[in-house]
Structures are given as C-alpha cells and as structure tokens.
Amino acid sequence: MAIIRETDLPGIGRKFMVETDDREKVAIVVHEDGKREVYHSSPTSPDDHELVMTLNDREARQVASIIGGMSYQPTALEQVELSISKLSIEWYKLRKGMNCIGKSIGELAIRENTGTVIIASLESVQQKISPGPEYVLQDGYTLVIAGERNDIQSLKQLLERGGG
C-alpha cells in the first residue's frame, strides 16, 4: 500500500509525497490557483526530483479519472468492478445564457430524462452543495455529474436547451 504524506506550502498550496511498494516516489504540488506539478524520483536517486508534467485543474481531473479507472479498467478486474467502469463522473460548468439557468433539477427531470445524477454543485471554492430536486441551477456553478457516457452527453444537451 502506498504511503502518502501531506505538507502545507504556505502561499503556494499543498504538497503530496507518494511512495509506492516498489519505493518509487512521486511528489504532487497542488497550487492555490489549481495548477498541479508532478515530480518523480527513482529508488536509486531518492533526492533527485524531476518535473514530469504541469497540469491545469481540468487536465488534472481528466488524468485523475484515468488513473482512478473511471475511463478504462483493465479486463482482468472482477466482474463487479467491471460494471462500475461504465460509470463516469464529470465536472460541468454552467454558463450564462444556458436555458437551464433558473430552473430546478426537478423541473428539468434530470434523472428521469437522462439517467444521470448531479452528485454535487460547487457554487464557490468554499461552498459545495449536495443538491436535491428543488435545487435551482445558476450561472457559474460547476456541477459534478455521474452516469454512463451517453447519458452524460444527454444531460449536457438538456442543460443547454433547458428541457422541453
């Protein structure tokens, strides 16, 4: 099991040090502005950290879903885990002018019309909501949505046109 250590970096963000069972080490620095830097050091040179990549927030979430098995899971996994591989979780930002703005989740009948669920709404960095059917969608909110890929595409189309 990997060992993970966290360190606050005042004025910068937070650093996560990950050491695998094979003694590989990866450092991930999450900056306050959302940028991520990934560094690697090998077991033979533990003090030499080489920058592997820099990611913005969207790219980091995409890579995290790949590593976490949301996009693809190897076929050797158990059958139960394979059924989960169809599930995708995406972040989707609502923009001014979308027809869903000002309408509730229930009014749009999101689950009934698309088979997806909105598992969270990020109204700001500090405010995260677990929305119910009465929750009204607003410009600038970021929705965390879950469902199968095709269903998520249907949800995005529903949000664009606002139902009906």
Side-chain angles (χ1 to χ4, degrees):
M1 178 171 291
I3 298 169
I4 301 173
R5 290 184 214 64
E6 296 180 36
T7 306
D8 283 326
L9 303 173
I12 297 171
R14 181 169 279 192
K15 177 172 77 171
F16 297 85
M17 290 294 299
V18 180
E19 184 174 345
T20 68
D21 292 340
D22 293 334
R23 308 204 34 91
E24 294 281 338
K25 292 183 182 176
V26 174
I28 302 160
V29 178
V30 180
H31 292 259
E32 296 293 339
D33 66 0
K35 178 176 79 171
R36 274 81 159 182
E37 295 173 329
V38 180
Y39 296 85
H40 175 263
S41 64
S42 68
T44 56
S45 337
D47 295 328
D48 293 334
H49 295 329
E50 178 182 345
L51 178 63
V52 175
M53 69 175 67
T54 301
L55 303 165
N56 64 33
D57 185 66
R58 181 184 48 78
E59 294 165 335
R61 292 180 189 284
Q62 288 173 322
V63 169
S65 74
I66 292 167
I67 292 172
M70 294 295 187
S71 300
Y72 171 78
Q73 289 187 356
T75 56
L77 296 176
E78 294 179 25
Q79 189 65 31
V80 173
E81 291 176 343
L82 287 174
S83 67
I84 292 172
S85 72
K86 293 180 182 179
L87 175 69
S88 291
I89 298 175
E90 290 189 22
W91 284 254
Y92 186 74
K93 186 161 186 155
L94 300 176
R95 299 175 312 281
K96 189 176 280 189
M98 294 177 85
N99 290 323
C100 66
I101 302 301
K103 296 182 181 176
S104 72
I105 291 172
E107 182 180 352
L108 293 169
I110 287 174
R111 184 184 300 217
E112 296 82 0
N113 287 326
T114 67
T116 62
V117 292
I118 297 175
I119 56 178
S121 177
L122 312 176
E123 296 178 2
S124 69
V125 174
Q126 293 82 22
Q127 190 170 17
K128 297 160 187 71
I129 305 291
S130 179
E134 70 291 341
Y135 185 78
V136 177
L137 303 175
Q138 297 296 325
D139 165 34
Y141 290 4
T142 299
L143 304 178
V144 181
I145 52 182
E148 292 188 19
R149 275 188 218 298
N150 291 341
D151 294 339
I152 288 176
Q153 290 309 316
S154 295
L155 172 61
K156 290 177 182 178
Q157 292 169 0
L158 175 69
L159 295 172
E160 289 284 337
R161 69 175 189 271

